[in-house]
């Protein structure tokens, strides 16, 4: 059943119908569409716009249609134009002309805006639960590796020694910000647009607050033009998803590097790895690589939606139908990525010995040596130069800084004495950094306490 056939004499071209139809992808909105229609029917009766008996019959049959779809008794008609047409046509088929009263005082423009907002709210909750699970996994791992020393990097070059707890808690902060972003996005999605009509509301005495309460919306939209043409909440959702995927991709990149034989920092379990069809020895970090690759896919969805919206005049335009596939795909991608990454992370095995050994190489204690000279009264720029020469000398002698004799050190600066060795041990370098946010054990314990507060 076409919802707009009266104006037309000729049939729609088959190719045009297929091109225009959205039932193939917007059918996933069936629950939101039916629940929105139930609330709308109740409001119409409450306001005396349709009879109570008609409303009760519509509501009862909509609940039956919902149950039939859930059980598979009712399948979607691929010839329907969209989910709205399918549900309304099925309603009319079952209860006759009474079903035609449902669409009183609404348009598909505000109907789809309602459906999408309800869907986005549901998915933000689902994504937030997955993020919460990941944050708990980070917290548990950090708690178990407070004393696991590893090198910290800048430019992918060894920089200063830190701990695995410090490293993991950096990602805790990233993903906690992601969680906060989704919660913030939810607040802007939580506005009920039904009652805005096609663009200019309508002449009926609607109770939009009643519908909002029925559907668990915090408030109603304040401008009918904006309500039907706004997709900011979809763009904001995709932005939140893109940032989350970026964070997943960054950690995946590190796990891919860490799992190489050259690093051997981490072992990815067999459950999250695959092999090679030709090289029997291979064990590939494919899950991490796929997450890294799918990040670009989500970026594409965000850029596609931004580009689609950039030149649209008010109010609704058919271009906006393109929002759904982008949102659906991005939501599916981030949920699957979070689920797989969290499972993979929980099964990681960290090689403490390899991390500790690596932290002792690459002169990661050089900054601490310079700081020791500063504490002895030497200006930092001068200390920086002295230690730079010290590193160069050690490289030429194929030694690390702690292996240099006191005589060798004094040849670079008379300021050196035997206390330098305790100051530049890797453990001392880590635990000297007691400032809030640092890797010292006392700082990590405070960071874990803060993280626990965030989780609670």
């Amino acid at each position: 059943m076409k919802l707009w056939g009266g104006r037309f004499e000729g049939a729609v071209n088959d190719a045009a119908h297929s091109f225009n139809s959205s039932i193939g992808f917007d059918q996933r909105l069936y629950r939101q569409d039916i629940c929105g229609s139930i609330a709308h029917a109740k409001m119409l009766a409450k306001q005396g716009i349709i009879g109570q008996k008609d409303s009760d019959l519509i509501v009862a049959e909509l609940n039956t249609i919902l149950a039939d779809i859930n059980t598979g008794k009712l399948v979607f008609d691929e010839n329907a134009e969209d989910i709205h047409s399918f549900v309304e046509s099925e309603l009319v088929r079952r209860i006759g002309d009474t079903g035609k009263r449902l669409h009183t005082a609404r348009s598909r423009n505000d109907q789809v805006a309602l459906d999408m907002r309800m869907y986005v709210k549901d998915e933000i909750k689902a994504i937030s639960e997955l993020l919460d699970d990941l944050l708990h996994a980070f917290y548990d791992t950090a708690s178990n590796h407070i004393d696991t020393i590893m090198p910290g990097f800048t430019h992918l070059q060894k920089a200063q020694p830190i701990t695995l707890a410090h490293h993991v808690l950096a990602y805790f902060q990233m993903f906690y910000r992601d969680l906060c972003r989704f919660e913030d996005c939810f607040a802007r999605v939580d506005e009920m647009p039904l009652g805005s009509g096609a663009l200019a509301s309508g002449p009926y005495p609607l109770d939009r607050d009643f519908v909002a309460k029925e559907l668990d919306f915090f408030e109603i939209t304040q401008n009918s033009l904006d309500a039907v043409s706004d997709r900011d909440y979809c763009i904001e959702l995709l932005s939140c998803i893109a940032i989350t995927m970026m964070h997943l991709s960054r950690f995946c990149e590190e796990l891919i590097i860490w799992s190489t034989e050259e690093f051997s920092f981490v072992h990815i379990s067999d459950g999250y790895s695959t092999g090679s069809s030709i090289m029997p020895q291979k064990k590939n970090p494919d899950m991490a690589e796929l997450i890294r690759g799918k990040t670009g896919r989500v970026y594409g969805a965000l850029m596609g939606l931004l580009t689609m919206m950039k030149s649209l005049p008010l109010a609704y335009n058919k271009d906006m139908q393109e929002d759904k596939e982008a949102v659906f795909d991005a939501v599916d991608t981030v949920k699957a990525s979070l689920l797989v990454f969290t499972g993979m992370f929980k099964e990681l095995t960290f090689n403490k010995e390899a991390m500790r050994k690596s932290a002792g190489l690459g002169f990661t204690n050089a900054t601490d040596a310079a700081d020791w000279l500063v504490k002895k009264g030497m200006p930092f720029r001068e200390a920086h130069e002295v230690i730079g020469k010290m590193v160069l000398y050690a490289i030429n002698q194929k030694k690390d800084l702690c292996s240099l004799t006191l005589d060798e050190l004094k040849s670079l600066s008379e300021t050196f004495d035997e206390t330098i060795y305790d100051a530049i041990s890797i453990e001392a370098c880590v635990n000297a950094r007691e400032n809030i946010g640092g890797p010292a054990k006392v700082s990590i314990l405070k960071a874990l306490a803060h993280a626990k507060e965030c989780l609670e």
Side-chain angles (χ1 to χ4, degrees):
M1 180 182 77
K2 292 286 188 293
L3 302 183
W4 41 265
R7 164 67 175 79
F8 291 77
E9 294 181 349
V12 176
N13 176 274
D14 288 344
H17 170 74
S18 297
F19 191 67
N20 180 63
S21 173
S22 60
I23 188 66
F25 49 85
D26 70 11
Q27 59 185 252
R28 75 161 65 189
L29 297 174
Y30 77 88
R31 186 184 65 79
Q32 290 85 0
D33 194 76
I34 292 172
C35 290
S37 291
I38 289 172
H40 182 65
K42 290 179 179 179
M43 184 274 294
L44 292 177
K46 174 180 176 295
Q47 297 301 102
I49 299 172
I50 66 173
Q52 188 64 51
K53 288 185 178 180
D54 287 344
S55 175
D56 291 344
L57 179 58
I58 289 171
V59 169
E61 200 56 47
L62 284 172
N63 277 313
T64 301
I65 290 173
L66 179 60
D68 288 348
I69 295 175
N70 285 334
T71 60
K73 183 178 180 181
L74 176 63
V75 297
F76 298 106
D77 179 6
E78 296 300 325
N79 292 316
E81 185 175 350
D82 51 39
I83 187 60
H84 325 298
S85 303
F86 171 76
V87 172
E88 188 170 335
S89 296
E90 182 64 20
L91 180 67
V92 172
R93 188 186 70 79
R94 294 186 180 198
I95 65 174
D97 286 348
T98 299
K100 296 179 179 179
R101 299 186 184 280
L102 173 62
H103 205 57
T104 306
R106 75 175 181 182
S107 162
R108 282 187 297 176
N109 293 0
D110 59 347
Q111 190 177 355
V112 70
L114 173 68
D115 291 358
M116 280 300 288
R117 284 181 179 269
M118 291 174 67
Y119 169 82
V120 169
K121 285 176 62 179
D122 290 341
E123 294 303 334
I124 287 177
K125 292 177 182 177
I127 294 168
S128 296
E129 289 178 2
L130 290 168
L131 280 169
D132 185 69
D133 189 26
L134 178 56
L135 288 170
H136 276 86
F138 286 158
Y139 176 84
D140 291 342
T141 297
S143 298
N144 292 327
H145 289 280
I146 297 173
D147 297 313
T148 301
I149 293 177
M150 64 173 290
F153 296 84
T154 64
H155 307 279
L156 207 55
Q157 305 291 317
K158 292 176 185 175
Q160 293 177 311
I162 58 171
T163 63
L164 180 56
H166 193 222
H167 194 101
V168 171
L169 286 173
Y171 281 101
F172 182 97
Q173 292 298 319
M174 293 184 200
F175 285 97
Y176 181 67
R177 290 194 297 270
D178 291 336
L179 180 60
C180 293
R181 264 186 285 269
F182 281 108
E183 292 176 350
D184 195 42
C185 177
F186 187 94
R188 276 179 289 282
V189 179
D190 203 14
E191 298 179 358
M192 203 285 298
L194 201 65
S196 299
L199 78 161
S201 186
Y204 300 96
L206 306 180
D207 188 344
R208 298 183 64 210
D209 288 315
F210 171 84
V211 177
K213 186 175 181 180
E214 284 285 304
L215 298 175
D216 195 27
F217 277 91
F218 180 71
E219 58 186 344
I220 61 175
T221 55
Q222 296 298 310
N223 184 283
S224 60
L225 278 169
D226 177 59
V228 299
S229 63
D230 167 44
R231 292 297 183 271
D232 289 359
Y233 60 94
C234 291
I235 294 171
E236 186 172 359
L237 172 68
L238 291 191
S239 178
C240 293
I241 292 174
I243 295 172
T244 298
M245 289 298 298
M246 178 263 289
H247 290 153
L248 285 172
S249 183
R250 292 185 70 180
F251 210 164
C252 282
E253 173 73 2
E254 293 193 317
L255 294 180
I256 292 165
I257 294 171
W258 290 0
S259 66
T260 62
E261 185 178 354
E262 288 74 13
F263 273 75
S264 297
F265 284 5
V266 68
H267 172 79
I268 298 175
S269 73
D270 290 356
Y272 294 91
S273 306
T274 64
S276 166
S277 63
I278 187 173
M279 295 171 284
Q281 84 282 8
K282 291 299 292 299
K283 181 178 179 181
N284 301 323
D286 281 6
M287 303 310 118
E289 291 173 351
L290 275 171
I291 293 170
R292 187 177 61 182
K294 289 178 182 293
T295 300
R297 177 176 179 156
V298 170
Y299 289 178
L302 173 59
M303 291 309 300
L305 197 51
L306 282 167
T307 304
M308 181 266 287
M309 291 296 297
K310 76 177 182 63
S311 299
L312 294 187
L314 294 177
Y316 181 82
N317 296 270
K318 191 68 170 182
D319 311 50
M320 294 180 188
Q321 183 169 290
E322 292 296 304
D323 65 344
K324 295 172 193 61
E325 288 179 286
V327 170
F328 295 161
D329 188 74
V331 165
D332 291 346
T333 299
V334 74
K335 287 167 67 177
S337 297
L338 282 168
L339 185 65
V340 169
F341 183 89
T342 302
M344 177 175 63
F345 184 81
K346 288 179 178 179
E347 293 187 18
L348 291 176
T349 302
F350 295 98
N351 188 336
K352 297 181 182 181
E353 292 76 18
M355 287 183 165
R356 173 62 180 81
K357 181 179 178 181
S358 181
L361 303 174
F363 308 103
T364 59
N365 52 356
T367 303
D368 294 83
D371 290 335
W372 184 88
L373 289 172
V374 170
K375 292 174 182 177
K376 292 293 184 177
M378 185 181 293
F380 180 78
R381 281 299 161 211
E382 184 179 337
H384 187 284
E385 183 177 358
V386 169
I387 300 304
K389 292 177 179 178
M390 178 179 171
V391 169
L392 181 59
Y393 177 83
I395 291 172
N396 291 331
Q397 298 300 313
K398 295 181 172 53
K399 293 182 176 182
D400 59 48
L401 299 187
C402 291
S403 298
L404 295 177
T405 67
L406 186 57
D407 288 338
E408 288 175 309
L409 294 178
K410 282 186 172 294
S411 70
L412 297 167
S413 173
E414 286 295 328
T415 306
F416 286 114
D417 61 42
E418 290 184 353
T419 62
I420 182 64
Y421 295 108
D422 289 335
I424 64 173
S425 72
I426 298 303
E427 287 74 16
C429 293
V430 171
N431 287 308
R433 289 167 165 76
E434 296 183 349
N435 289 313
I436 293 175
K441 185 171 184 177
V442 63
S443 300
I444 293 299
L445 291 173
K446 291 178 182 178
L448 285 168
H450 179 264
K452 188 174 183 180
E453 290 177 6
C454 292
L455 292 174
E456 292 173 349

